Amino acid sequence: MSKKEIPNELKSKLDEFHVEIPEIPAKSSKLNRIANWIHTPAKNQLEILSIRENSSTQLVYYPLIFFCFYSLPQFFLFEVWKLGDVTYTVLLFS
């Protein structure tokens, strides 16, 4: 509906109202953005592992599983030979 199609009666009613629209900045200042970044709440790191407050078994076994998983490649990368008093370390996959 264009302005020409608005009836005069409605136009007079609309002219009675005065609305003040405040100017809202399109972009916040750098200081506000830095403050928002600093004050954002930290994410819960345990949500990734689906650990709840009452799941103590997962809290105990997850570190053990991670330790075994990340230390496992060391057993396959090096081979240690002990000949008398001298120890030789050989990289297997070179």
Side-chain angles (χ1 to χ4, degrees), residues 75-93:
F75 295 114
F76 294 110
L77 287 179
F78 297 102
E79 182 178 344
V80 178
W81 295 335
K82 287 188 178 183
L83 300 173
D85 293 335
V86 182
T87 303
Y88 297 98
T89 303
V90 179
L91 184 63
L92 293 178
F93 302 107

Side-chain angles (χ1 to χ4, degrees), residues 14-72:
L14 289 174
D15 289 338
E16 291 176 11
F17 299 103
H18 297 285
V19 179
E20 293 180 19
I21 301 173
E23 290 187 26
I24 300 173
K27 190 175 183 183
S28 61
S29 68
K30 274 190 179 180
L31 186 61
N32 284 340
R33 286 184 279 161
I34 290 172
N36 289 337
W37 178 72
I38 290 173
H39 293 289
T40 53
K43 293 180 183 177
N44 186 358
Q45 300 297 324
L46 298 179
E47 283 181 6
I48 297 170
L49 302 173
S50 69
I51 294 177
R52 306 283 183 254
E53 292 83 14
N54 58 358
S55 59
S56 60
T57 56
Q58 290 176 344
L59 283 172
V60 170
Y61 289 122
Y62 273 160
L64 295 174
I65 292 169
F66 287 142
F67 175 75
C68 293
F69 180 73
Y70 285 117
S71 65
L72 190 63

